[in-house]
Amino acid sequence: MKLNKLLLIAALLLSPATYAQYKAPVAPKDFSIAVLPDVQYYTSEKNGGKKEMFRAQTDWIVKNATKENIVYVIQLGDISDDGEKFPIEWENAAAAMYVLDKPMPGYPAGIPYGLAVGNHDQTKSQYPLSGKTTQYNKYFGIDHFKNKPYYGGHYRDDNDSHYDLFSAGGVNFITIYFEYDSYDEDIENLNNWACSLLEKYKDRKAILVSHSILFYNHTAGTNEKGFPPFSKQARHIVDRLKHYPNVCLTLSGHVGDNGEGYRRDGYAGNIIQSFMSDYQSRPQGGHGLMRLMKFSKSNDLIGVRTFSPYTNEEEKDADSEFTTPWFHQTNVARYLDMNNDQTTELVSFNNGVWKITGQPAINFGQAGDIAVPADYNGDGKTELAVYRPSEGSFYLRDGKVIKLGKAGDIPVPGDYDGDGFADAAVYRPSNHTWYINGIDSVKHGVKNAIPVPADYDGDGIIDIGFYNPANALWQVVGMGNIPLQLKAVAGDIPVPGDYDGDGRAEMALFRPSTGEWIIDKAKEPVKLGQPGDVPVPGNYFKDGKTYPAVYRQGKIYLKNGQVLDLGNIDSINLINLPYHIRYYVNK
């Protein structure tokens, strides 16, 4: 007991900046953030909800904090249903949330947490909201948090919008909370405040939290990518803050028709992922459903689990339990990553037999099939798939079959809509047209053009493009002609990739005649290779960059002098150079 009191006193004396260096005591490389969706029917005990459901969530967090290495808790707003009118709802909320304040081993100041202000946490009014949050600030205001070592500060004179600082797994974070305001009252000044924080703490990854960010219900539908749209307020926030490269996540609740939503948006090579969870429209006010988000820097993955500590149910559908890349996305930084270790594997395919570095041979496909591995389910890992020209079909290892294309088409799978899932696609040389599953066809090509699809602008979407060997020009839809300031040399091989790690693919050529890699924006060519070598660029190290590499007589040679032995890989049928490029090289 005395030791716990001393730890508490020491923690209270720490400044926020000092506490930000504090690491959770268990499994420091992997950690969890608990996310509590709308709890309005638990605190008000309406629509079958019970206050015990809320308390079960926070009790579970305390009980499992060490085991799951829970470093932070986020509540998404609508803490009450009409709390300004019925203070008992805030008493119920405090009874649940305050259990996180209790010091415990490894958490001398309790488990850090923050709460968003929802529309039901304010007094009701018309255009605009009056924004009175007397009860919220009574129970979760500045006075409650000001001595918490993780508390960063607040906007203006209340705690409606505030921020926290914490660190875990070798990553420093800032979590910024935005008060709900559907009519954009004071939004520009609020954004100015948030921008100043992102500039001040530019070395911290930012999580933006507001009650309403994604607006996913049957009326709103989805946008052109199939994503839930942003709310009115969120459009202002995201449009303004997306310019800051430290923004990586947004979390929200509010709209419960679907219960769950996800979208990702790219800007200049930075991917912002948005997660929405809200279960208030379910029976019993949501029966205590919550989320645990597990972060792994070493694997560069976020894992999401949805469950209820009150009913012990687990939701296992694809919207409720899934993994997604954290920083390095599959469009540019996870090429042929077959096991989610962030590095490219060496892979061969021959008549339905796959051989992958360090794995037993796998039988999938048949003679005549073309290997088209890609991340078809959005988990960051490359899945096995084949294209069968005789049928015009893509066969995925999970059993899915996608009819697309015909004999003579060139398979070019990739994430053409930015949803994190690779799409089946083919390029038809006979009419220079791209056919993409679920997306309108695009005519883009010339005679003898080599397809070079890649994310050239860093928006998280594969761009349709081709390289013209006749004049050494790249032509990308929406970007026009892109010269590499080179004369065309017979035998040049296009090898686009993210060679500088900025989240955008660079145009690049391998010139076997001189053993040079000419990479856009690079000051000078990279010397690696000789006539007869096959280029096999890939993510050979865990830094999100594409590295030049060549295959020669059973070995892979890297620029740093490292040599990779193929082992049991069938070198004649090595597929590390994509098929849409191999096809033209081997013509």
Side-chain angles (χ1 to χ4, degrees):
M1 181 65 71
K2 290 182 179 179
L3 177 60
N4 282 341
K5 286 184 177 180
L6 289 173
L7 289 172
L8 175 60
I9 294 170
L12 295 177
L13 292 174
L14 292 172
S15 68
T18 303
Y19 185 82
Q21 304 308 314
Y22 166 77
K23 303 293 190 301
V26 177
K29 292 184 179 180
D30 292 351
F31 60 91
S32 300
I33 294 177
V35 181
L36 305 179
D38 303 38
V39 293
Q40 64 194 77
Y41 293 146
Y42 309 150
T43 56
S44 64
E45 299 199 294
K46 296 179 181 177
N47 295 339
K50 298 179 180 180
K51 62 185 178 182
E52 288 82 7
M53 294 177 179
F54 192 6
R55 180 61 184 264
Q57 293 176 334
T58 53
D59 281 345
W60 184 92
I61 292 171
V62 170
K63 182 179 178 180
N64 292 275
T66 299
K67 174 185 174 183
E68 302 289 350
N69 195 15
I70 299 173
V71 299
Y72 192 67
V73 179
I74 294 173
Q75 199 285 323
L76 298 175
D78 275 2
I79 307 156
S80 66
D81 188 56
D82 193 359
E84 285 295 308
K85 187 175 181 180
F86 301 106
I88 184 63
E89 297 177 12
W90 290 102
E91 294 175 17
N92 292 336
M97 291 301 295
Y98 284 4
V99 302
L100 302 178
D101 292 319
K102 184 179 179 180
M104 55 185 286
Y107 301 86
I111 301 172
Y113 67 91
L115 306 91
V117 171
N119 53 305
H120 282 264
D121 301 323
Q122 308 180 32
T123 50
K124 292 181 171 65
S125 64
Q126 299 294 322
Y127 311 100
L129 292 171
S130 67
K132 290 183 180 178
T133 53
T134 305
Q135 295 297 321
Y136 170 85
N137 280 283
K138 175 181 178 181
Y139 289 91
F140 300 105
I142 297 168
D143 286 343
H144 180 72
F145 288 101
K146 65 182 180 182
N147 291 323
K148 301 290 186 184
Y150 55 85
Y151 183 62
H154 53 89
Y155 175 64
R156 294 195 168 169
D157 56 359
D158 60 31
N159 210 40
D160 293 357
S161 298
H162 59 276
Y163 70 98
D164 291 334
L165 304 170
F166 68 96
S167 297
V171 181
N172 299 323
F173 289 93
I174 177 172
T175 306
I176 306 176
Y177 291 80
F178 297 80
E179 174 192 8
Y180 175 92
D181 186 349
S182 61
Y183 304 109
D184 309 323
E185 180 184 6
D186 197 37
I187 186 62
E188 289 309 316
N189 288 327
L190 183 59
N191 277 344
N192 289 339
W193 170 75
C195 288
S196 69
L197 293 176
L198 293 172
E199 291 167 1
K200 179 178 180 181
Y201 298 104
K202 60 184 178 181
D203 63 330
R204 292 179 172 275
K205 295 298 180 182
I207 303 173
L208 311 182
V209 182
S210 190
H211 182 54
S212 176
I213 293 179
L214 297 189
F215 196 75
Y216 195 7
N217 62 16
H218 298 305
T219 303
T222 58
N223 69 358
E224 68 280 358
K225 298 179 187 177
F227 289 158
F230 286 121
S231 68
K232 182 179 179 182
Q233 181 184 13
R235 287 198 304 271
H236 288 292
I237 294 172
V238 176
D239 283 348
R240 178 74 181 280
L241 273 57
K242 68 182 182 182
H243 300 272
Y244 293 91
N246 47 338
V247 177
C248 63
L249 300 173
T250 82
L251 297 174
S252 63
H254 183 51
V255 181
D257 285 8
N258 182 67
E260 296 161 331
Y262 170 83
R263 68 177 285 163
R264 58 179 219 158
D265 296 88
Y267 184 79
N270 182 45
I271 299 295
I272 301 173
Q273 300 185 77
S274 297
F275 300 84
M276 185 270 284
S277 53
D278 174 24
Y279 306 100
Q280 61 175 313
S281 296
R282 305 279 185 92
Q284 297 176 298
H287 26 132
L289 285 166
M290 60 176 284
R291 279 187 165 179
L292 191 70
M293 301 182 70
K294 295 188 176 182
F295 294 78
S296 175
K297 184 180 179 183
S298 61
N299 295 317
D300 190 40
L301 292 173
I302 301 173
V304 175
R305 173 190 173 198
T306 304
F307 63 102
S308 170
Y310 185 78
T311 64
N312 294 318
E313 64 190 285
E314 296 266 354
E315 292 210 346
K316 297 289 188 178
D317 59 279
D319 291 332
S320 305
E321 184 175 273
F322 57 92
T323 62
T324 180
W326 186 0
F327 298 124
H328 299 145
Q329 304 296 314
T330 53
N331 280 354
V332 292
R334 285 178 178 265
Y335 178 61
L336 283 184
D337 179 4
M338 313 297 289
N339 57 7
N340 256 337
D341 68 352
Q342 302 178 68
T343 60
T344 293
E345 271 71 58
L346 302 176
V347 184
S348 66
F349 175 78
N350 183 31
N351 293 329
V353 179
W354 296 75
K355 293 183 179 179
I356 304 168
T357 309
Q359 299 185 26
I362 300 171
N363 294 310
F364 174 67
Q366 63 186 37
D369 287 350
I370 298 169
V372 286
D375 182 13
Y376 292 96
N377 63 13
D379 65 354
K381 182 172 62 176
T382 299
E383 285 80 47
L384 303 188
V386 297
Y387 176 66
R388 192 160 295 164
S390 61
E391 300 178 9
S393 297
F394 283 77
Y395 284 82
L396 278 57
R397 200 182 182 200
D398 65 3
K400 183 181 294 185
V401 180
I402 303 170
K403 293 286 292 183
L404 184 72
K406 63 181 183 180
D409 289 351
I410 309 301
V412 285
D415 183 6
Y416 291 92
D417 57 9
D419 64 355
F421 297 76
D423 306 297
V426 297
Y427 170 68
R428 187 165 297 164
S430 61
N431 62 2
H432 310 145
T433 301
W434 299 63
Y435 298 91
I436 304 168
N437 187 45
I439 302 175
D440 291 339
S441 60
V442 177
K443 192 174 183 64
H444 188 66
V446 295
K447 184 178 180 180
N448 296 322
I450 302 176
V452 285
D455 183 8
Y456 294 99
D457 56 8
D459 65 354
I461 301 173
I462 291 291
D463 300 302
I464 293 172
F466 67 84
Y467 169 73
N468 187 348
N471 56 15
L473 281 178
W474 299 63
Q475 291 183 286
V476 180
V477 171
M479 300 175 70
N481 294 335
I482 309 175
L484 262 177
Q485 305 299 330
L486 297 171
K487 290 183 179 180
V489 173
D492 282 356
I493 302 173
V495 284
D498 184 10
Y499 292 91
D500 60 8
D502 67 351
R504 292 172 280 196
E506 283 78 49
M507 300 170 293
L509 291 173
F510 171 60
R511 182 163 290 170
S513 59
T514 61
E516 291 179 307
W517 293 68
I518 299 98
I519 302 170
D520 188 31
K521 300 176 184 175
K523 293 181 180 179
E524 56 186 32
V526 175
K527 292 288 293 184
L528 179 68
Q530 61 189 39
D533 286 354
V534 177
V536 286
N539 311 116
Y540 293 103
F541 305 98
K542 294 184 178 183
D543 57 5
K545 294 181 182 179
T546 302
Y547 284 84
V550 296
Y551 164 74
R552 181 191 312 146
Q553 297 179 348
K555 296 183 184 297
I556 303 294
Y557 294 84
L558 302 177
K559 174 61 179 174
N560 66 351
Q562 188 172 351
V563 179
L564 306 178
D565 197 317
L566 290 180
N568 68 331
I569 303 298
D570 180 359
S571 60
I572 296 176
N573 298 289
L574 191 68
I575 66 169
N576 285 64
L577 184 66
Y579 177 80
H580 54 266
I581 297 175
R582 295 200 317 272
Y583 171 82
Y584 287 91
V585 171
N586 295 330
K587 283 180 68 174

